[in-house]
Amino acid sequence: MGYKEIYARYRQHILEGRLKPGDRVPAIRTLASELQVARKTVEAAYEILIGEGYFVSQGAKGTCVNPQLLLATASEKAAVSAPPASENSPRESKGELRLGIPALDEFPHKKWLLISGKAARTLRPEEMILPPVMGYQPLREAIASYLSISRGLNCQPEQIFITSGYRANLRLILAVLAQPSDKVLFEDPGYFFGQKLLKRIAPNLHYVPVDRQGMDVDYLLRYHPDARFSIVTPTHHSPLAVTLSLPRKHQLLEWAHQNDSWIIEDDYDGEFHYTRKVIPAMKSLDVHDRVIYTGTFSKTMMPAMRVGYLVMPKETIGRFNELGEILETGMSLLPQKILAQFLSEGHFYRHIKKMRILYQQRRRMMLDALQQCFPEMFDFELTDGGMHIVAFLRRGTQDKALAEIWQRHQLRVLPLSGWYMQTQKRYGLVIGYTNIRSPEQAFALLQRTARETREAFK
């Protein structure tokens, strides 16, 4: 490698933003050794970069990218070439009333930091090798214990597979158990990220309508009895938040048993029930081991942690382990250690109990504000819990236009009709409320849109 190549590489990295003003660069001796070139070669490249103003020599402190370097032209080019972020993406958008974001202001940060520090300090050399494919054993034990107490599941730690979240759960389950021709059923309406993923990985995808009792199992039995998989959110349907009725749960379990099919139970926020005791998971009724239970800590703790899990039926453990070795490299160990300690010391249980009370209060704040600001616009069908409200339009079908108005005011609501794939749709707004801290805040947020909303929907 000659000095021109070294010069060109650094210049490109700076212009592309991979090296920023003030960043230090390797010492000449170090870089020459790494690249296996003569020191004079690196010196020549650095001299040109310094001469052109890209680098600055700081004597004994070394060399860095010029802190005064102005790259406006490069930034503008990057901005033009970068694809625009979707205004409707809950993942990328910033703003209020976002879906699926837990009450971050009430998270026990101090306790989490103490446990994190301890986990990092006690990391042993043998733990620095590749982590177990199925997950850190103490975390698997803690999750199995939690599911037994709080969700009514009779499962062993050996049945727990730690993943990186909801989509990793679906990908892994279908990779292990499905054939390309297998029919996969999904709720309609259904979770939009699930729809997008399944369209890519499940060629034979079909939809089953949802009503006020959850998935219409009679429809499933009439039109899709030969399905191999049914993906459901039985505790709180996403997005309608209704609960799958007990007779339908038994219908679905019997269908799976008789047809040797699988039910994938997504229990994304099953902990949050307000008006009665927490409903046990459908998996707790599964005497034939046909339900694959899945969950994450995104809704209960923080989305950024990206830790999920699934409960493997006993007969499938070997297959999950075999393919997991190929598809999965194992979740990073340190977050698993921290989470295991957080669960085993009882902090997670206390946090969930606190959130149930808090979310019930915050839902009431949002409902009161909606009824005060828009008394004639919405109807509500309150369910026993969840983390969002569905405000159904009393008149009209223009929920997408309404959502666009609210989004322009940084209120990240979503139109209900966008969650449907078939023609029979309902219309309204799906509104998160978990980070509303006061009635005054809820009212002030809605007032941002009040005038424009009323003018557009007279």
Side-chain angles (χ1 to χ4, degrees):
M1 177 180 290
Y3 74 92
K4 291 183 179 179
E5 292 172 274
I6 298 172
Y7 158 79
R9 179 183 297 179
Y10 273 106
R11 183 176 180 275
Q12 183 178 5
H13 285 184
I14 292 170
L15 293 176
E16 291 178 351
R18 284 186 274 178
L19 278 175
K20 297 178 174 57
D23 285 355
R24 292 189 61 182
V25 295
I28 290 174
R29 184 193 301 271
T30 303
L31 186 60
S33 175
E34 183 179 331
L35 297 179
Q36 297 184 345
V37 298
R39 286 183 58 186
K40 288 186 177 180
T41 302
V42 178
E43 284 177 356
Y46 275 29
E47 285 175 3
I48 297 173
L49 290 163
I50 291 171
E52 293 184 355
Y54 291 108
F55 282 1
V56 171
S57 176
Q58 297 178 316
K61 292 183 179 181
T63 304
C64 71
V65 179
N66 188 350
Q68 305 301 318
L69 191 62
L70 297 177
L71 295 173
T73 302
S75 299
E76 290 164 6
K77 288 179 181 178
V80 170
S81 61
S86 171
E87 287 295 315
N88 291 327
S89 171
R91 174 184 289 274
E92 303 296 339
S93 301
K94 295 180 180 179
E96 309 289 346
L97 310 185
R98 294 176 65 192
L99 302 181
I101 308 297
L104 302 179
D105 60 308
E106 293 293 336
F107 184 77
H109 295 279
K110 290 183 179 179
K111 182 60 66 177
W112 183 262
L113 290 174
L114 286 172
I115 294 174
S116 299
K118 182 179 178 181
R121 289 191 300 271
T122 58
L123 195 65
R124 301 189 302 274
E126 59 268 25
E127 293 176 333
M128 297 179 185
I129 308 171
L130 286 174
V133 169
M134 289 196 182
Y136 181 53
Q137 184 62 22
L139 178 57
R140 298 171 73 192
E141 292 170 358
I143 291 174
S145 174
Y146 166 73
L147 293 177
S148 174
I149 296 169
S150 296
R151 307 301 297 129
L153 270 65
N154 180 20
C155 64
Q156 303 302 315
E158 292 71 27
Q159 293 176 258
I160 306 296
F161 197 121
I162 307 299
T163 72
S164 61
Y166 169 80
R167 280 168 282 187
N169 286 339
L170 287 185
R171 284 196 301 267
L172 181 60
I173 291 168
L174 295 182
V176 172
L177 299 177
Q179 299 295 324
S181 60
D182 285 345
K183 182 182 288 188
V184 178
L185 305 181
F186 197 65
E187 296 167 316
D188 189 45
Y191 181 47
F192 44 85
F193 279 137
Q195 292 175 6
K196 291 179 180 179
L197 174 64
L198 289 168
K199 285 178 181 178
R200 292 177 177 270
I201 66 174
N204 195 4
L205 179 64
H206 299 266
Y207 300 92
V208 179
V210 173
D211 58 27
R212 288 171 175 80
Q213 296 185 62
M215 176 183 273
D216 186 345
V217 183
D218 285 337
Y219 181 98
L220 181 157
L221 296 175
R222 187 180 307 117
Y223 296 106
H224 303 295
D226 58 335
R228 178 70 169 159
F229 296 87
S230 179
I231 303 169
V232 294
T233 51
T235 306
H236 296 140
H237 171 259
S238 175
L240 298 179
V242 297
T243 299
L244 186 64
S245 68
L246 187 60
R248 288 188 179 184
K249 287 179 181 177
H250 285 296
Q251 266 188 300
L252 196 58
L253 289 166
E254 183 62 21
W255 161 79
H257 171 55
Q258 292 294 333
N259 292 276
D260 201 28
S261 300
W262 298 107
I263 300 168
I264 301 174
E265 178 179 7
D266 176 16
D267 197 28
Y268 68 100
D269 71 349
E271 292 83 359
F272 301 125
H273 264 267
Y274 311 145
T275 59
R276 61 188 183 194
K277 291 182 179 180
V278 174
I279 297 175
M282 186 166 68
K283 176 66 176 173
S284 67
L285 305 173
D286 178 25
V287 296
H288 299 292
D289 213 11
R290 303 308 302 176
V291 177
I292 306 167
Y293 179 93
T294 71
T296 78
F297 292 93
S298 295
K299 305 294 188 297
T300 52
M301 293 179 61
M302 64 181 90
M305 190 163 58
R306 310 310 302 159
V307 175
Y309 56 89
L310 58 88
V311 179
M312 301 168 284
K314 291 179 180 177
E315 71 170 80
T316 68
I317 291 176
R319 281 182 279 173
F320 273 95
N321 185 38
E322 180 182 0
L323 199 58
E325 290 279 0
I326 301 170
L327 298 178
E328 298 285 323
T329 58
M331 284 290 297
S332 176
L333 180 64
L334 191 55
Q336 294 189 69
K337 288 193 71 173
I338 297 167
L339 183 55
Q341 195 72 15
F342 194 77
L343 266 68
S344 62
E345 291 183 359
H347 306 299
F348 183 69
Y349 294 87
R350 289 189 286 273
H351 178 60
I352 291 298
K353 184 178 180 180
K354 180 180 178 181
M355 292 302 100
R356 287 191 191 118
I357 298 170
L358 183 71
Y359 289 169
Q360 186 177 8
Q361 295 168 347
R362 293 185 171 184
R363 181 171 74 168
R364 175 44 56 191
M365 293 175 191
M366 178 52 63
L367 283 169
D368 289 346
L370 283 164
Q371 290 166 340
Q372 186 176 358
C373 292
F374 307 105
E376 304 298 328
M377 179 168 285
F378 300 114
D379 283 324
F380 305 95
E381 297 173 0
L382 289 189
T383 58
D384 290 315
M387 298 174 68
H388 64 264
I389 291 169
V390 181
F392 296 96
L393 284 176
R394 288 187 178 180
R395 297 181 299 276
T397 61
Q398 299 301 311
D399 59 353
K400 291 184 179 179
L402 180 58
E404 288 175 2
I405 292 173
W406 288 38
Q407 288 164 7
R408 286 200 295 270
H409 293 274
Q410 300 302 304
L411 303 183
R412 300 303 177 187
V413 300
L414 293 175
L416 176 62
S417 63
W419 299 58
Y420 285 87
M421 296 302 297
Q422 297 175 314
T423 55
Q424 295 295 322
K425 298 183 179 183
R426 300 182 74 185
Y427 300 88
L429 297 181
V430 186
I431 305 170
Y433 58 78
T434 49
N435 283 281
I436 295 297
R437 303 186 187 186
S438 69
E440 293 77 17
Q441 182 196 14
F443 181 79
L445 290 175
L446 298 183
Q447 279 296 105
R448 293 180 187 177
T449 73
R451 182 182 59 81
E452 193 173 349
T453 297
R454 293 191 188 102
E455 289 178 355
F457 288 83
K458 290 179 180 179

